[in-house]
Amino acid sequence: MEARRRFFTLSSFDPLLVVALSLVIVHITTVNAEVPDVRRLQRELKAHRPLYDKGDGAARFNNDPDIKDIDVIATYSDVSGAVRISRVKMSHLSASWILENPSDRDNGLPNSSQTLGDSFQASMNLEENVEYPMGDHQSEEVGFFNRPKPPLSPVKLKRQMLRQKRRELRTAELIRQDNENDNIMQETAFEQSKRLEPRVTGKYSIWRRDFESPNTDSTLKLMRDQIILAKAYAHVAKSKNESSLYNSLMKHCKESQRAIGDANSDAELPSSALNQAQAMGHVLSIAKDQLYDCPTVQRKFRAMIQSTEGTVTALKRKSSFLIQLAAKIVPRPLHCLPLQLAADYYQQGHHKKEEQINEKFEDPSLYHYAIFSDNVLATSVVVNSTVAHAKEPEKHVFHIVTDKLNFVAMKMWFLVNAPPKATIQIENIDSFKWLNSSYCSVLRQLESARLKEYYFKANHPSSLSAGSDNLKYRNPKYLSMLNHLRFYLPEVYPKLEKILFLDDDIVVQKDLTPLWSVDLHGMVNGAVETCKESFHRFDKYLNFSNPLISENFSPNACGWAFGMNMFDLKEWRKRNITGIYHYWQDANEDRTLWKLGTLPPGLITFYNLTYPLDRSWHVLGLGYDPALNLTQIDNGAVVHYNGNNKPWLDLAVSKYKPYWSKYVMYDNYYLKNCNFRE
């Protein structure tokens, strides 16, 4: 009856209303077909509905047992910045989680009266954009997409505002500092412009013209680089049978080389050089377009580098050989001088006069010097410079020992040009009958066949063609006993107690008599040490791979220099220094302990027996180092031209030569005849 009453009631409604109700029934039927479980749909609706209330936390729903089991799709960014999606239970979320509708992005919050279809459609849209993982708690990378920006908590918002404020303050501070620096720079530049002298007073550098202008040789460098590049492309063009391009490149190479000539800066280039560089650049551009192949060009450049390195090595070897050769050759004026002196010595009959023995030669209370040399002019400079600065020249005795070839010339020079008041003794080394091969180790070694082969056979492994390492040790001075006579001073001067040894390539600039008052503290040799940090120590001169050397000497022991040495001959005899020298010379007969020369055996012989003198007594390096301190040279008591650039050779360093040449008597009759010039 109730159903019938409802039916009759419905039949009394307007036909339009009936149609609407029919549509609703059809819609409900469709929904029931798609969602079989109405309860599950309601739970989903309950789960989705709170998402519209932005700001609600997950803790609000934790009390509902139905909601606790709902799966929640959580979107987050990992440490690498990739967006990830994971499915978790509602009960697993903490109270800090804020729930919102994923579809709500830019249009604000949805109304609570949204229909079931809108809510369900939003859920379906979310589900379509998500690829679910295999497990419930696993996540996977899904790529970048526009995800909703979660709302900031009040604490985070406050922090963000503070950070922004700090950035603004820091930016303002940097701008202020930058403005202050600009003002300071402008004021400084303005003050400097007031003091600027527009006139050019001189060059900025006195030693290198290239620094007159920062770009003084830019065109020259460009043309040289173009020539190198053109040769590389020409090789590639020739290998690819591009004859016209090859000829063009080689033609421009020759023209550029002719334009450069001997120029060292842009100022020395001809006016057409820039046009030639432009033409070369055009040809290189064409070659690059047609031939450029990175591996091929790279191989060519590598081959060019290897070829250039080989050329440089060969030139260095030739340069070293020529320098050594120039150092060995006696200049014509220096060869002429002893011939003229010897001729006049015999023409004037000095050889018939008996030589008188001077008592000063053996007086130990005087100042005695030992000079062993075959160079007449160099010996005269040593004597003249020493006497010129001596306070009491009459107390100075010079003992000069030379070889028989120059003995007469040396005697004639000092007969004609005797220094005032000073005493000169000249001796011939061949008159020392005790100096023979049975007593002297060096003489015995010089007579051996192996040493003759080392010096005179070009096919020897250490010949000049093998390299420059041993070139200086093949100098004839190492064959002369004059170079080794310094180790026999007590035998040469048996009645003397102290003697100052001087090389013939030194110049004396101060009175040397205070050296005789220096207390050597029981040492035999007084010398200036040459070691600086790691330079000129024993390991530079001796072979420490040999156990005989490594077991007896320290590789870090400081070296010293021959050239100006004060020897205590009494202590020498007491310690038998000459016997020590003979022992080590015999041990080095095969030259495995040190190479030839007198400094290595001197370092060994006087090891722990050398007293270091003040460096101002002996300034070294004028024969090889062009960068010495001139003030140090001026203040030195003795300056030493050790090295190949001797002051009487054309190799001499020009700025050092006046220290030596001012003691040469260029107005002397013999020097004029032999064409000596300043």
Side-chain angles (χ1 to χ4, degrees):
M1 288 294 294
E2 192 68 20
R4 188 178 300 169
R5 188 179 298 116
R6 289 181 182 175
F7 174 78
F8 284 115
T9 303
L10 290 173
S11 62
S12 62
F13 285 108
D14 188 49
L16 291 176
L17 182 58
V18 174
V19 173
L21 290 174
S22 302
L23 292 175
V24 171
I25 294 171
V26 172
H27 179 70
I28 292 173
T29 304
T30 304
V31 172
N32 288 336
E34 293 177 351
V35 186
D37 192 348
V38 178
R39 281 191 174 182
R40 186 167 64 85
L41 179 59
Q42 291 176 352
R43 286 199 304 270
E44 291 179 0
L45 292 177
K46 289 180 181 179
H48 286 287
R49 193 171 294 117
L51 297 177
Y52 298 130
D53 299 328
K54 181 175 278 191
D56 291 340
R60 174 181 173 185
F61 308 101
N62 285 343
N63 296 327
D64 191 341
D66 295 333
I67 294 179
K68 284 184 177 181
D69 296 333
I70 292 179
D71 293 335
V72 177
I73 299 173
T75 307
Y76 64 97
S77 299
D78 60 7
V79 293
S80 63
V83 178
R84 293 182 177 276
I85 293 179
S86 180
R87 177 182 294 180
V88 298
K89 296 290 185 179
M90 178 68 77
S91 59
H92 295 166
L93 301 181
S94 64
S96 63
W97 280 72
I98 298 175
L99 307 179
E100 61 178 341
N101 193 332
S103 63
D104 181 24
R105 297 176 184 174
D106 302 322
N107 298 327
L109 296 176
N111 297 326
S112 58
S113 60
Q114 281 184 317
T115 62
L116 170 64
D118 294 336
S119 176
F120 188 79
Q121 185 63 33
S123 298
M124 295 303 296
N125 290 338
L126 179 62
E127 294 289 334
E128 291 173 358
N129 293 328
V130 177
E131 183 178 350
Y132 287 100
M134 296 300 295
D136 290 339
H137 300 288
Q138 295 177 346
S139 62
E140 62 180 271
E141 192 173 316
V142 297
F144 292 102
F145 59 89
N146 293 328
R147 62 187 183 89
K149 185 177 180 181
L152 296 175
S153 65
V155 177
K156 291 184 178 180
L157 183 60
K158 185 176 181 180
R159 290 176 181 171
Q160 185 178 18
M161 294 173 64
L162 291 175
R163 283 196 298 269
Q164 182 65 24
K165 187 175 181 180
R166 286 196 298 270
R167 291 194 191 100
E168 293 174 356
L169 292 175
R170 180 59 178 165
T171 303
E173 178 66 18
L174 292 175
I175 293 174
R176 184 186 64 80
Q177 293 178 1
D178 189 54
N179 292 335
E180 291 180 356
N181 292 335
D182 288 343
N183 294 333
I184 293 173
M185 292 176 64
Q186 291 176 5
E187 293 176 0
T188 304
F190 182 71
E191 293 296 329
Q192 290 178 351
S193 65
K194 290 181 179 179
R195 300 191 300 267
L196 180 64
E197 177 58 49
R199 294 182 293 110
V200 178
T201 58
K203 298 180 179 180
Y204 291 101
S205 173
I206 63 174
W207 61 274
R208 184 174 177 182
R209 289 183 300 173
D210 293 350
F211 286 101
E212 293 179 10
S213 172
N215 297 319
T216 186
D217 57 350
S218 58
T219 304
L220 179 63
K221 290 180 179 179
L222 173 63
M223 295 182 69
R224 287 173 175 170
D225 292 342
Q226 285 180 336
I227 292 173
I228 295 173
L229 192 59
K231 289 181 179 179
Y233 279 129
H235 175 81
V236 178
K238 188 175 182 180
S239 64
K240 294 185 177 182
N241 295 324
E242 297 285 347
S243 57
S244 60
L245 186 56
Y246 170 80
N247 294 332
S248 178
L249 288 168
M250 296 306 298
K251 175 185 175 183
H252 281 81
C253 276
K254 294 178 181 178
E255 292 176 355
S256 295
Q257 289 173 342
R258 281 197 297 267
I260 292 175
D262 297 329
N264 294 315
S265 65
D266 288 356
E268 300 175 7
L269 291 174
S271 57
S272 61
L274 187 59
N275 295 332
Q276 176 60 35
Q278 293 174 350
M280 174 68 91
H282 179 67
V283 175
L284 289 175
S285 177
I286 297 175
K288 180 180 179 181
D289 294 339
Q290 296 183 9
L291 303 174
Y292 184 74
D293 180 21
C294 188
T296 304
V297 175
Q298 182 182 10
R299 286 194 297 270
K300 178 55 183 174
F301 278 135
R302 186 180 291 110
M304 292 174 67
I305 291 173
Q306 293 176 351
S307 175
T308 304
E309 288 178 348
T311 303
V312 169
T313 302
L315 290 176
K316 284 183 177 179
R317 186 176 298 153
K318 290 180 180 178
S319 174
S320 180
F321 168 73
L322 292 175
I323 290 174
Q324 295 296 331
L325 185 63
K328 296 174 186 178
I329 293 176
V330 179
R332 180 177 296 179
L334 206 61
H335 180 68
C336 165
L337 181 61
L339 296 178
Q340 291 280 348
L341 291 168
D344 286 356
Y345 181 83
Y346 286 103
Q347 287 180 358
Q348 296 177 14
H350 293 289
H351 63 288
K352 298 179 181 179
K353 299 178 182 179
E354 293 184 4
E355 186 176 354
Q356 298 180 356
I357 299 176
N358 195 326
E359 295 180 354
K360 290 184 176 180
F361 293 163
E362 298 179 348
D363 188 352
S365 64
L366 301 179
Y367 306 113
H368 295 267
Y369 301 85
I371 305 172
F372 305 148
S373 173
D374 58 358
N375 189 326
V376 176
L377 185 62
T379 304
S380 70
V381 170
V382 175
V383 174
N384 292 340
S385 62
T386 305
V387 174
H389 295 92
K391 294 180 179 179
E392 298 176 304
E394 66 276 4
K395 294 184 178 181
H396 294 258
V397 181
F398 296 89
H399 303 271
I400 301 172
V401 180
T402 186
D403 55 13
K404 63 181 179 181
L405 188 62
N406 295 279
F407 175 66
V408 173
M410 193 78 73
K411 289 185 68 173
M412 184 62 186
W413 175 267
F414 284 102
L415 282 173
V416 178
N417 304 291
K421 299 182 180 180
T423 304
I424 306 294
Q425 180 190 20
I426 301 173
E427 296 180 275
N428 183 359
I429 191 173
D430 293 327
S431 64
F432 301 149
K433 301 304 179 182
W434 51 268
L435 194 64
N436 49 57
S437 57
S438 61
Y439 174 68
C440 179
S441 301
V442 174
L443 280 176
R444 185 168 58 255
Q445 293 173 9
L446 291 176
E447 294 175 357
S448 67
R450 285 190 300 174
L451 204 61
K452 291 179 180 178
E453 182 183 15
Y454 175 79
Y455 273 103
F456 302 111
K457 289 193 175 181
N459 59 353
H460 193 272
S462 58
S463 62
L464 297 179
S465 60
S468 61
D469 293 342
N470 296 323
L471 286 178
K472 66 179 182 179
Y473 300 107
R474 301 169 66 87
N475 195 310
K477 72 177 183 179
Y478 296 116
L479 294 174
S480 172
M481 268 307 299
L482 286 174
N483 202 39
H484 294 268
L485 191 61
R486 64 192 69 186
F487 294 103
Y488 299 94
L489 287 172
E491 286 85 346
V492 180
Y493 310 107
K495 295 185 179 181
L496 298 182
E497 297 178 356
K498 272 191 174 183
I499 193 167
L500 184 64
F501 171 79
L502 297 176
D503 269 343
D504 62 357
D505 55 353
I506 63 103
V507 174
V508 178
Q509 300 185 128
K510 292 182 180 180
D511 184 23
L512 300 181
T513 54
L515 285 171
W516 274 263
S517 302
V518 174
D519 185 5
L520 299 181
H521 299 279
M523 302 296 180
V524 179
N525 174 27
V528 171
E529 293 181 336
T530 57
C531 57
K532 297 178 181 179
E533 297 179 358
S534 61
F535 300 104
H536 295 289
R537 298 191 180 271
F538 272 40
D539 58 353
K540 173 181 173 61
Y541 305 99
L542 305 177
N543 179 19
F544 276 87
S545 63
N546 191 303
L548 191 59
I549 294 294
S550 59
E551 293 172 1
N552 291 280
F553 306 99
S554 170
N556 295 320
C558 189
W560 45 269
F562 274 125
M564 190 213 71
N565 305 82
M566 175 59 70
F567 290 110
D568 186 342
L569 300 184
K570 290 177 62 177
E571 198 69 28
W572 184 309
R573 298 182 186 99
K574 184 188 301 184
R575 295 178 179 269
N576 190 22
I577 298 301
T578 304
I580 297 174
Y581 166 72
H582 284 163
Y583 168 80
W584 287 104
Q585 276 290 353
D586 292 337
N588 191 48
E589 186 173 1
D590 55 356
R591 300 184 304 280
T592 57
L593 303 184
W594 68 84
K595 298 177 182 179
L596 295 179
T598 56
L599 182 56
L603 296 176
I604 290 179
T605 302
F606 297 102
Y607 183 64
N608 291 332
L609 295 174
T610 300
Y611 178 78
L613 299 176
D614 187 87
R615 290 184 183 273
S616 62
W617 282 111
H618 190 185
V619 179
L620 298 109
L622 280 73
Y624 68 89
D625 188 357
L628 292 176
N629 189 331
L630 294 181
T631 302
Q632 185 180 4
I633 295 175
D634 294 335
N635 295 332
V638 172
V639 294
H640 194 172
Y641 292 83
N642 56 314
N644 288 324
N645 304 331
K646 301 300 183 184
W648 54 83
L649 299 176
D650 293 335
L651 298 174
V653 181
S654 58
K655 63 180 179 180
Y656 300 152
K657 195 167 184 177
Y659 294 98
W660 182 84
S661 60
K662 66 182 179 181
Y663 297 104
V664 178
M665 297 180 294
Y666 288 101
D667 57 347
N668 182 271
Y669 166 78
Y670 292 102
L671 297 187
K672 286 183 177 180
N673 284 348
C674 292
N675 296 320
F676 278 95
R677 296 183 178 87
E678 292 190 51

